[in-house]
Short mmCIF file of all heavy atoms in Angstrom, two decimals:
data_model
loop_
_atom_site.label_atom_id
_atom_site.label_comp_id
_atom_site.label_asym_id
_atom_site.label_seq_id
_atom_site.Cartn_x
_atom_site.Cartn_y
_atom_site.Cartn_z
N GLU A 87 9.34 -15.42 2.62
CA GLU A 87 8.57 -15.82 1.49
C GLU A 87 7.82 -17.15 1.79
O GLU A 87 8.42 -18.05 2.21
CB GLU A 87 9.43 -16.04 0.22
CG GLU A 87 9.96 -14.72 -0.32
CD GLU A 87 10.56 -14.90 -1.71
OE1 GLU A 87 9.91 -15.54 -2.59
OE2 GLU A 87 11.66 -14.36 -1.95
N ILE A 88 6.49 -17.10 1.61
CA ILE A 88 5.65 -18.26 1.94
C ILE A 88 5.08 -18.73 0.58
O ILE A 88 4.25 -18.07 0.00
CB ILE A 88 4.56 -17.84 2.87
CG1 ILE A 88 5.13 -17.25 4.16
CG2 ILE A 88 3.69 -19.09 3.18
CD1 ILE A 88 4.07 -16.61 5.05
N PRO A 89 5.53 -19.97 0.11
CA PRO A 89 4.92 -20.53 -1.07
C PRO A 89 3.50 -20.92 -0.88
O PRO A 89 3.11 -21.50 0.12
CB PRO A 89 5.87 -21.70 -1.40
CG PRO A 89 6.49 -22.05 -0.09
CD PRO A 89 6.49 -20.80 0.77
N LEU A 90 2.64 -20.62 -1.89
CA LEU A 90 1.27 -20.96 -1.84
C LEU A 90 0.91 -21.76 -3.15
O LEU A 90 1.19 -21.22 -4.22
CB LEU A 90 0.33 -19.77 -1.74
CG LEU A 90 0.40 -18.98 -0.43
CD1 LEU A 90 -0.46 -17.75 -0.53
CD2 LEU A 90 -0.01 -19.85 0.72
N PRO A 91 0.31 -22.90 -3.10
CA PRO A 91 -0.04 -23.64 -4.33
C PRO A 91 -1.09 -22.87 -5.08
O PRO A 91 -2.09 -22.45 -4.54
CB PRO A 91 -0.56 -24.98 -3.82
CG PRO A 91 -0.87 -24.79 -2.39
CD PRO A 91 -0.02 -23.64 -1.92
N GLY A 92 -0.86 -22.67 -6.39
CA GLY A 92 -1.83 -21.97 -7.23
C GLY A 92 -1.76 -20.47 -7.23
O GLY A 92 -2.49 -19.82 -7.95
N PHE A 93 -0.91 -19.88 -6.35
CA PHE A 93 -0.71 -18.46 -6.25
C PHE A 93 0.78 -18.11 -6.23
O PHE A 93 1.59 -19.03 -5.88
CB PHE A 93 -1.33 -17.96 -4.91
CG PHE A 93 -2.87 -17.91 -4.91
CD1 PHE A 93 -3.52 -18.93 -4.26
CD2 PHE A 93 -3.57 -16.89 -5.50
CE1 PHE A 93 -4.87 -18.89 -4.22
CE2 PHE A 93 -4.90 -16.87 -5.50
CZ PHE A 93 -5.63 -17.90 -4.84
N PRO A 94 1.15 -16.91 -6.51
CA PRO A 94 2.52 -16.51 -6.34
C PRO A 94 2.84 -16.61 -4.80
O PRO A 94 1.97 -16.47 -3.99
CB PRO A 94 2.61 -15.06 -6.86
CG PRO A 94 1.36 -14.81 -7.56
CD PRO A 94 0.34 -15.87 -7.07
N ALA A 95 4.12 -16.75 -4.49
CA ALA A 95 4.54 -16.80 -3.10
C ALA A 95 4.17 -15.51 -2.38
O ALA A 95 4.30 -14.40 -3.00
CB ALA A 95 6.04 -17.01 -3.01
N LEU A 96 3.73 -15.61 -1.17
CA LEU A 96 3.50 -14.38 -0.36
C LEU A 96 4.84 -13.88 0.14
O LEU A 96 5.62 -14.56 0.76
CB LEU A 96 2.61 -14.72 0.85
CG LEU A 96 1.17 -14.88 0.64
CD1 LEU A 96 0.48 -15.19 1.97
CD2 LEU A 96 0.51 -13.63 0.07
N ARG A 97 5.13 -12.65 -0.25
CA ARG A 97 6.38 -12.00 0.20
C ARG A 97 6.08 -11.01 1.31
O ARG A 97 5.38 -10.03 1.04
CB ARG A 97 7.03 -11.30 -0.97
CG ARG A 97 7.46 -12.26 -2.01
CD ARG A 97 8.17 -11.53 -3.16
NE ARG A 97 8.67 -12.45 -4.16
CZ ARG A 97 8.46 -12.38 -5.46
NH1 ARG A 97 7.74 -11.38 -5.92
NH2 ARG A 97 8.91 -13.29 -6.29
N ILE A 98 6.57 -11.25 2.52
CA ILE A 98 6.31 -10.39 3.65
C ILE A 98 7.31 -9.19 3.60
O ILE A 98 8.51 -9.41 3.74
CB ILE A 98 6.43 -11.16 4.95
CG1 ILE A 98 5.61 -12.47 4.90
CG2 ILE A 98 6.06 -10.26 6.16
CD1 ILE A 98 4.16 -12.25 4.67
N GLY A 122 -2.66 -8.18 -0.88
CA GLY A 122 -1.59 -9.01 -0.32
C GLY A 122 -0.75 -8.26 0.66
O GLY A 122 -1.01 -7.14 1.06
N PRO A 123 0.40 -8.88 1.03
CA PRO A 123 1.27 -8.28 2.08
C PRO A 123 1.77 -6.87 1.70
O PRO A 123 1.83 -6.03 2.59
CB PRO A 123 2.40 -9.27 2.16
CG PRO A 123 1.77 -10.58 1.77
CD PRO A 123 0.81 -10.27 0.71
N LEU A 147 -10.63 -12.15 -5.33
CA LEU A 147 -9.75 -13.07 -4.47
C LEU A 147 -10.54 -14.20 -3.85
O LEU A 147 -10.06 -15.35 -3.92
CB LEU A 147 -9.04 -12.21 -3.42
CG LEU A 147 -8.09 -12.95 -2.55
CD1 LEU A 147 -6.93 -13.58 -3.32
CD2 LEU A 147 -7.62 -12.13 -1.42
N VAL A 151 -9.50 -18.15 -4.31
CA VAL A 151 -9.18 -19.02 -3.20
C VAL A 151 -10.02 -20.30 -3.24
O VAL A 151 -9.48 -21.39 -3.01
CB VAL A 151 -9.32 -18.26 -1.87
CG1 VAL A 151 -9.25 -19.19 -0.68
CG2 VAL A 151 -8.30 -17.13 -1.70
N VAL A 154 -8.79 -22.65 -6.09
CA VAL A 154 -7.49 -23.32 -5.83
C VAL A 154 -7.64 -24.24 -4.67
O VAL A 154 -7.14 -25.39 -4.77
CB VAL A 154 -6.41 -22.29 -5.54
CG1 VAL A 154 -5.14 -22.93 -5.04
CG2 VAL A 154 -6.06 -21.48 -6.81
N LEU A 160 -12.38 -21.34 3.47
CA LEU A 160 -11.27 -20.44 3.12
C LEU A 160 -11.78 -19.31 2.21
O LEU A 160 -11.34 -18.19 2.27
CB LEU A 160 -10.14 -21.21 2.43
CG LEU A 160 -9.26 -22.07 3.33
CD1 LEU A 160 -8.27 -22.82 2.51
CD2 LEU A 160 -8.61 -21.22 4.40
#
Side-chain angles (χ1 to χ4, degrees):
E87 287 194 48
I88 303 169
L90 295 175
F93 288 100
L96 282 180
R97 293 182 178 130
I98 309 302
L147 181 65
V151 168
V154 170
L160 286 178

